[in-house]
């Protein structure tokens, strides 16, 4: 949208004292910069995840063209490739030309600027027992990275890259001494590639992002009702008719495993059975409990169909299949799903009901336990440890099964009390569109846990989960990043690191680093807005999108009835969960209401926002109204204008002397505008309504006091 009206406001603002402050603060990066008090801490340097032990040194290391890396002794091809990637990124971040091939090896360290002191390769197959620790010592003369394994060295390299600063016309790394080791051994991200398929390059860039924030498990949800995505040569119809042609060849899967290993990440495959398995039955109907024929269902959710646990042929099939996949995925764990089995399909089938009676099973969960026990036996025979979702946790479950909890921390703790290892996922479901704060504060072992220390040891960590009913290749990055970084910090950093303000201040920097690694969480939504608006620089639409976020999975499902054919190309698909605006506006409102030292700048920033909203709203609403991809969201543009007026009104009541507010048309703003704006529309909600309400209430209280 052309934003001439907004530009006029900016020009008018330039002429005022408040505007001068405003532009100065915008140019200086504003209050979002952390306070520098004496020696810096890890948060002020922008590290995420925060290291377990940090000490600031004196001075800084200045990057010089051509500086060398040397290996103190051990090095192998994996470490060398990681070093080349680090140097390439260091050159890009710093602008200093650096040799990409480390030119020195053991014994000749005298001219090295970076010494990599790595003890050995680590496990031939990375396990949960891999030592991932490292220490990083930066002095003005030398950078030393010590690690027992290559994986530990990779983590140290990521920390080093996050420390680079451009200041005083130099590229520097502040002197620090860091000793770092993860709190949890299992720090994962799950991606569902069944509901919407993701090409290999999307998976690879996700792995790059994971490595940057020290996540170490990629959980690949390779099959579900809507599609079977892993090529089997023994059972070619699994993908032949169960994938709509979208699947990974065995070579591609091996490639992903190698790509992940090269970055210190394990790959755990999931084949969800006995429920969520219609895609298996399209080609192999004998696996089903009903007769078939079967078709891939368009609508995701819980389907009645489940594998038939009573037939020996089911286990023969699964044994051969698991054996085949075990050769492609070397990891020690293998996920067998187990969630959301309704059981009616079993109890209502006379043949299956007879089997249950014969075995003495009274309920469907008992039959599922029988199935789980058989499948656990198969997985163990192929020398893997099985993982299942919470539902597998019923009496009789073999103790070797790890439980992945999507029901919550209590369910996870219940498993640990019975001696099962487990990981937490419930609070980390990205499709819930929760705030970063909520994700950040959710802890696999909360401070008030009632688990004994021995039971706590069974909780191995957590996994972020990205279900794919409501996203596709274009939007997935913006659903995963940057927010997965805050959960990565929860899994890596000490439990006591819970400073939400610090987290929000660090996140934008991490977001930029992730973009440099190739992630499309920023460009993807911007591209979609250009596509929708037909404009190269849709500034007004971008201003609106910046203060909107998608509604939750449940609300979108109920409203849109999203299925595999729903085009994901509306305004909701161009906005991101918990964008920076929520935190920024909240901070500025607090500063104004509490009259902090930053309140003048905060007021100037708010004034500018509110004026922009008021200015852009009429034309933006009209343009959206006329655009079939946005007409349902035009109401949000109109509301933005009203909310802007309300904000200006509140500010002027609070501070009648603000020259920037003189002469502005405040209109008939009413707080009722906030209530209207909370109502559902276009699958998007505003990020700042709580803060605006606070400002409005603060304003009237102050007004009444005068
Ligand atoms: C799940 O969300 N059904 C694992």
């Amino acid at each position: 949208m052309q934003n001439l009206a907004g530009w006029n406001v900016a020009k008018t603002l330039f002429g005022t004292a408040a505007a001068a402050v405003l532009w100065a603060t915008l140019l200086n990066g504003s209050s979002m910069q952390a306070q520098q008090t004496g020696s810096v801490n890890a948060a002020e340097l922008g590290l995420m995840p925060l290291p377990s032990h940090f000490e600031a040194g004196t001075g800084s290391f200045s990057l010089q063209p051509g500086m060398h890396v040397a290996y103190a002794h051990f090095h192998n091809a994996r470490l060398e490739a990681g070093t080349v990637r680090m140097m390439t990124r260091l050159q890009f971040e710093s602008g200093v030309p650096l040799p990409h091939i480390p030119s020195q090896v053991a014994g000749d360290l005298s001219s090295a600027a970076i010494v990599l002191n790595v003890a050995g390769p680590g496990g031939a197959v990375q396990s949960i027992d891999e030592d991932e620790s490292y220490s990083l010592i930066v002095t003005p003369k030398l950078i030393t990275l010590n690690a027992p394994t290559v994986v530990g060295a990779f983590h140290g390299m990521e920390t080093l890259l996050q420390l680079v600063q451009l200041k005083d016309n130099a590229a520097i790394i502040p002197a620090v001494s860091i000793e770092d080791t993860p709190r949890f051994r299992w720090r994962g991200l799950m991606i569902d590639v069944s509901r919407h398929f993701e090409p290999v390059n999307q998976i690879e860039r996700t792995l790059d992002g994971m490595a940057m924030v020290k996540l170490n498990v990629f959980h690949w949800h390779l099959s579900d009702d809507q599609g079977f995505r892993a090529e089997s040569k023994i059972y070619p119809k699994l993908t032949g008719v169960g994938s709509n042609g979208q699947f990974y060849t065995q070579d591609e899967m091996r490639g992903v495993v190698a790509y992940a290993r090269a970055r210190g990440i394990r790959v755990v495959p999931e084949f969800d059975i006995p429920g969520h398995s219609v895609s298996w039955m399209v080609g192999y109907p004998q696996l089903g409990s009903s007769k078939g024929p079967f078709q891939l269902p368009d609508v995701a959710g819980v389907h009645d169909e489940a594998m038939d646990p009573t037939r020996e042929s089911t286990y023969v099939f699964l044994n051969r299949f698991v054996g085949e996949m075990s050769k492609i995925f070397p990891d020690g764990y293998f996920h067998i799903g187990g969630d959301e089995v309704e059981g009616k399909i079993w109890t209502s089938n006379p043949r299956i009901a007879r089997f249950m009676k014969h075995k003495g099973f009274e309920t469907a969960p008992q039959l599922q336990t029988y199935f789980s026990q058989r499948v656990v036996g198969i997985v163990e025979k192929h020398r893997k440890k099985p993982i299942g979702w919470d539902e597998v946790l019923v009496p009789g479950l073999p103790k070797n099964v790890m439980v992945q909890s999507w029901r919550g921390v209590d369910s996870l703790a219940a498993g640990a009390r019975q001696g099962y290892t487990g990981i937490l996922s419930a609070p980390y479901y990205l499709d819930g569109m929760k705030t970063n704060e909520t994700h950040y504060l959710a802890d696999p072992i909360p401070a008030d846990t009632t688990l004994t220390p021995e039971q706590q040891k069974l909780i191995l960590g957590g996994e972020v989960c990205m279900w794919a009913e409501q996203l596709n290749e274009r939007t997935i990055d913006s659903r995963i990043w940057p927010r997965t970084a805050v959960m990565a910090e929860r899994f890596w950093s000490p439990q006591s690191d819970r400073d939400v303000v610090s987290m929000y201040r660090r996140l934008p920097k991490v977001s930029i680093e992730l973009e440099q690694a190739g992630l499309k969480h920023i460009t993807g939504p911007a591209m979609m807005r250009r596509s929708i608006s037909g404009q190269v620089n849709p500034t007004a639409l971008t201003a609106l999108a910046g203060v909107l976020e998608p509604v939750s999975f449940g609300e979108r499902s109920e409203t849109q009835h999203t299925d595999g054919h729903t085009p994901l190309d509306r305004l909701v698909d161009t906005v991101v969960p918990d964008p920076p605006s929520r935190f920024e506006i909240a901070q500025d409102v607090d500063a104004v209401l509490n009259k902090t030292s930053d309140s003048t700048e905060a007021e100037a920033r708010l004034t500018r926002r509110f004026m922009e909203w008021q200015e852009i709203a009429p034309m933006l609403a009209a343009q959206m109204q006329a655009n079939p991809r946005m007409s349902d969201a035009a109401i949000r543009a109109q509301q933005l204008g009203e909310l802007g007026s309300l904000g200006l009104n509140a500010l002027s009541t609070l501070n009648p002397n603000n020259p920037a507010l003189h002469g502005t048309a405040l209109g008939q703003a009413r707080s009722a505008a906030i209530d209207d704006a909370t109502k559902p529309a276009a699958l998007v909600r505003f990020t700042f309504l709580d803060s605006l309400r606070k400002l409005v209430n603060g304003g009237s209280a102050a007004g009444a006091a005068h």
Side-chain angles (χ1 to χ4, degrees):
M1 308 278 146
Q2 284 302 312
N3 184 19
L4 295 173
W7 180 236
N8 282 336
V9 174
K11 273 200 300 192
T12 314
L13 272 170
F14 259 127
T16 69
V21 173
L22 176 110
W23 286 103
T25 52
L26 286 175
L27 291 172
N28 287 337
S30 83
S31 67
M32 295 306 141
Q33 262 173 10
Q35 301 279 316
Q36 301 284 325
T37 51
S39 71
V40 293
N41 64 35
E44 286 159 352
L45 293 178
L47 295 180
M48 186 178 280
L50 290 169
S52 45
H53 184 81
F54 175 94
E55 267 176 53
T58 308
S60 58
F61 178 97
S62 178
L63 272 67
Q64 300 301 330
M67 62 181 223
H68 293 290
V69 180
Y71 302 109
H73 45 99
F74 170 84
H75 57 111
N76 64 4
R78 185 162 69 131
L79 179 60
E80 286 160 16
T83 308
V84 170
R85 286 197 305 274
M86 174 189 73
M87 294 300 275
T88 307
R89 284 167 56 198
L90 196 54
Q91 173 168 282
F92 182 75
E93 269 192 51
S94 66
V96 176
L98 301 173
H100 291 175
I101 309 300
S103 55
Q104 297 186 357
V105 292
D108 182 13
L109 305 175
S110 54
S111 64
I114 304 179
V115 172
L116 299 182
N117 181 19
V118 182
V125 173
Q126 189 176 323
S127 76
I128 56 167
D129 297 321
E130 187 90 353
D131 188 339
E132 299 182 85
S133 65
Y134 70 91
S135 72
L136 178 66
I137 296 135
V138 180
T139 69
K141 293 216 159 64
L142 185 68
I143 296 169
T144 312
L145 173 55
N146 305 299
T149 65
V150 172
V151 176
F154 289 162
H155 294 321
M157 290 179 191
E158 294 298 342
T159 301
L160 181 64
L161 286 161
Q162 285 193 343
L163 285 170
V164 176
Q165 297 182 358
L166 301 178
K167 60 192 252 191
D168 303 332
N169 202 18
I172 61 127
I173 299 176
V176 293
S177 174
I178 291 174
E179 286 192 26
D180 203 6
T181 189
R183 176 173 169 217
F184 289 111
R185 291 183 283 170
W186 193 296
R187 305 179 307 279
L189 169 64
M190 186 214 78
I191 297 186
D192 159 20
V193 293
S194 176
R195 275 56 177 270
H196 282 91
F197 180 72
E198 294 301 334
V200 169
N201 64 27
Q202 195 285 324
I203 301 296
E204 288 181 348
R205 64 179 186 259
T206 301
L207 290 165
D208 285 322
M210 289 175 65
M212 290 185 74
V213 293
K214 303 182 171 66
L215 292 175
N216 67 354
V217 180
F218 172 52
H219 167 173
W220 211 354
H221 186 84
L222 281 162
S223 72
D224 211 298
D225 296 310
Q226 281 66 38
F228 197 98
R229 307 298 181 197
E231 180 193 31
S232 164
K233 298 207 199 272
I234 303 176
Y235 298 110
K237 283 191 280 186
L238 286 172
T239 55
V241 291
S243 73
N244 285 328
Q246 292 186 302
F247 65 93
Y248 308 102
T249 66
Q250 294 200 346
D251 280 347
E252 284 172 332
M253 292 187 287
R254 282 194 196 92
V256 166
V257 169
Y259 194 95
R261 174 164 172 80
R263 288 153 183 78
I265 297 171
R266 302 164 39 209
V267 180
V268 174
E270 178 186 354
F271 298 95
D272 197 351
I273 53 176
H276 286 287
S277 59
V278 175
S279 63
W280 302 62
M281 297 161 197
V282 181
Y284 299 95
Q286 68 271 26
L287 291 170
S289 295
S290 51
K291 249 206 171 100
F294 298 95
Q295 283 185 334
L296 295 177
D298 284 334
V299 182
V302 181
H303 294 273
D304 283 343
E305 193 52 56
M307 283 188 179
D308 185 345
T310 70
R311 289 200 185 106
E312 279 310 303
S313 56
T314 302
Y315 303 106
V316 172
F317 188 110
L318 290 174
N319 180 43
R320 295 186 73 198
F321 178 77
V322 172
E324 185 182 20
M325 291 301 125
S326 294
K327 294 195 182 76
I328 295 169
F329 296 100
D331 196 77
Y333 284 79
F334 198 96
H335 204 309
I336 52 176
D339 57 319
E340 299 185 309
V341 180
E342 290 280 89
K344 268 203 304 283
I345 198 91
W346 292 339
T347 50
S348 64
N349 178 323
R351 188 177 50 76
I352 296 177
R354 270 199 305 281
F355 178 91
M356 288 176 64
K357 193 153 174 234
H358 173 70
K359 291 273 185 192
F361 302 152
E362 280 166 14
T363 63
Q366 287 175 312
L367 182 57
Q368 188 177 347
T369 304
Y370 167 82
F371 177 84
S372 299
Q373 287 166 342
R374 297 287 307 263
V375 176
V376 164
I378 289 170
V379 170
E380 288 180 336
K381 192 179 118 202
H382 294 288
R383 290 195 280 285
K384 307 283 186 193
K385 258 180 187 281
I387 312 173
W389 298 101
D390 308 60
E391 287 92 329
V392 299
L393 183 61
V394 289
L397 181 74
K399 282 288 186 281
N400 195 31
V401 178
M402 183 175 99
V403 178
Q404 177 163 16
S405 175
W406 69 285
R407 289 177 170 171
V409 78
D410 293 340
S411 175
L412 181 71
R417 279 197 192 90
Q418 296 169 52
Y420 292 95
T421 54
I423 54 173
L424 184 65
S425 276
Y428 313 121
Y429 267 35
L430 295 173
D431 58 12
M433 304 296 172
K434 291 177 280 226
T435 63
N436 289 310
E437 174 174 355
T438 306
H439 286 145
Y440 185 59
L441 295 179
D443 198 314
I445 309 178
D448 61 357
T449 184
T450 54
L451 294 179
T452 66
E454 282 310 305
Q455 290 164 345
Q456 290 181 36
K457 280 194 199 128
L458 296 172
I459 298 189
L460 301 181
E463 259 188 24
V464 179
C465 287
M466 186 76 267
W467 299 101
E469 291 92 338
Q470 298 176 351
L471 55 77
N472 61 18
E473 183 188 345
R474 289 184 198 281
T475 53
I476 185 168
D477 290 16
S478 73
R479 284 359 187 191
I480 298 177
W481 305 105
R483 52 201 189 128
T484 289
V486 312
M487 288 162 274
E489 174 156 301
R490 177 59 44 230
F491 302 154
W492 177 282
S493 304
Q495 184 178 42
S496 56
D497 285 330
R498 293 174 69 81
D499 182 340
V500 170
V501 170
S502 158
M503 176 273 288
Y504 273 111
R505 283 180 175 156
R506 286 177 287 135
L507 196 54
K509 179 168 174 268
V510 177
S511 184
I512 293 167
E513 287 163 356
L514 289 162
E515 183 178 41
Q516 283 173 16
L519 286 157
K520 301 188 177 180
H521 57 295
I522 300 174
T523 51
M527 182 275 284
M528 294 273 282
R529 287 192 294 273
R530 286 192 282 276
S531 160
I532 289 185
S533 65
Q535 299 190 4
V536 171
N537 192 14
T539 45
L541 181 61
T542 298
L544 172 64
V547 291
L548 291 172
E549 64 182 345
V551 297
S552 71
F553 172 85
E555 188 174 339
R556 183 166 184 169
S557 288
E558 273 167 34
T559 313
Q560 190 180 40
H561 305 291
T562 326
D563 69 23
H565 300 294
T566 308
L568 302 175
D569 62 356
R570 298 302 156 115
L571 185 66
V572 60
D573 303 300
T574 81
V575 303
V576 302
D578 200 2
S581 64
R582 181 175 156 276
F583 173 72
E584 289 168 3
I585 294 173
Q587 289 274 294
D588 282 346
V589 165
D590 283 348
V592 167
L593 291 179
N594 299 331
K595 301 204 174 12
T596 64
S597 59
D598 185 40
S599 67
T600 309
E601 290 92 336
E603 185 175 337
R605 282 190 294 270
L606 288 174
T607 302
R608 179 169 183 271
R609 270 197 208 269
F610 296 149
M611 284 187 149
E612 184 187 19
W613 297 351
Q614 206 184 29
E615 286 293 326
I616 65 178
M619 201 197 306
L620 179 61
Q623 292 183 359
M624 291 173 75
Q625 195 70 60
N627 183 327
R629 282 170 74 181
M630 291 195 284
S631 53
D632 62 333
I635 176 84
R636 289 301 192 214
Q638 189 192 320
Q639 287 166 340
L640 187 72
E642 288 160 12
L643 296 168
S645 300
L646 188 59
L648 288 172
N649 225 341
L651 285 177
S652 71
T653 312
L654 276 169
N655 182 3
N657 301 322
N658 182 346
L661 297 166
H662 284 175
T664 53
L666 297 182
Q668 296 300 308
R670 296 166 296 114
S671 312
I674 299 181
D675 295 332
D676 285 344
T678 59
K679 293 184 185 143
L683 304 174
V684 289
R685 60 187 182 213
F686 287 108
T687 57
F688 58 84
L689 296 181
D690 289 346
S691 295
L692 184 60
R693 204 184 290 279
K694 210 163 148 185
L695 187 71
V696 168
N697 289 343
S700 44
H706 280 295

